[in-house]
Amino acid sequence: MPLTIAASYRARARGLLGRDGLTGALLLTPASGVHTFRMRFAIDVAYLDRRLTVLDVHTLRPGRLGRPRLRSRHVLEAEAGALERWGVRRGVRIVIAPGPSAPPPPSVR
């Protein structure tokens, strides 16, 4: 699955706003919390620590504020239901491996 990394302030601020859906996932870095105000669809949110270990996973409907997590340094967003299908849950570590010509997909260990 494709992964987009939002590492600049502008990219993080834009996030998923204005989109009707998402193929793959969006990694916000650095980030400790998110919101879904003005979003058109529900998302899964995984809060990650410095080593990309999942601290917590939640599903947020549009118009919600996700509480910041104290140790969170990154946030992984995907369409609602995707993280469960991919096996992303508390305690697993996300590994980002670059593909030959495609954006790097996240994997779970």
Side-chain angles (χ1 to χ4, degrees):
M1 78 214 76
L3 174 69
T4 302
I5 299 175
S8 71
Y9 173 80
R10 187 175 187 170
R12 288 189 311 272
R14 175 155 163 66
L16 298 175
L17 296 177
R19 297 189 193 188
D20 290 321
L22 174 65
T23 301
L26 176 67
L27 180 69
L28 305 172
T29 183
S32 61
V34 297
H35 68 82
T36 57
F37 300 122
R38 297 183 14 223
M39 289 189 57
R40 300 176 182 157
F41 58 98
I43 61 170
D44 285 343
V45 177
Y47 298 91
L48 313 174
D49 69 9
R50 292 176 197 262
R51 298 186 64 217
L52 300 179
T53 301
V54 178
L55 301 171
D56 211 355
V57 178
H58 288 280
T59 299
L60 295 177
R61 295 183 316 211
R64 302 289 190 239
L65 178 64
R67 295 182 325 165
R69 299 305 188 269
L70 190 58
R71 293 180 20 234
S72 178
R73 295 295 177 260
H74 316 280
V75 175
L76 184 67
E77 298 179 338
E79 282 198 21
L83 295 184
E84 184 177 357
R85 284 193 309 274
W86 299 336
V88 176
R89 63 189 179 287
R90 185 183 302 192
V92 301
R93 187 163 180 224
I94 304 297
V95 177
I96 300 172
S101 62
S107 63
V108 177
R109 282 195 183 172

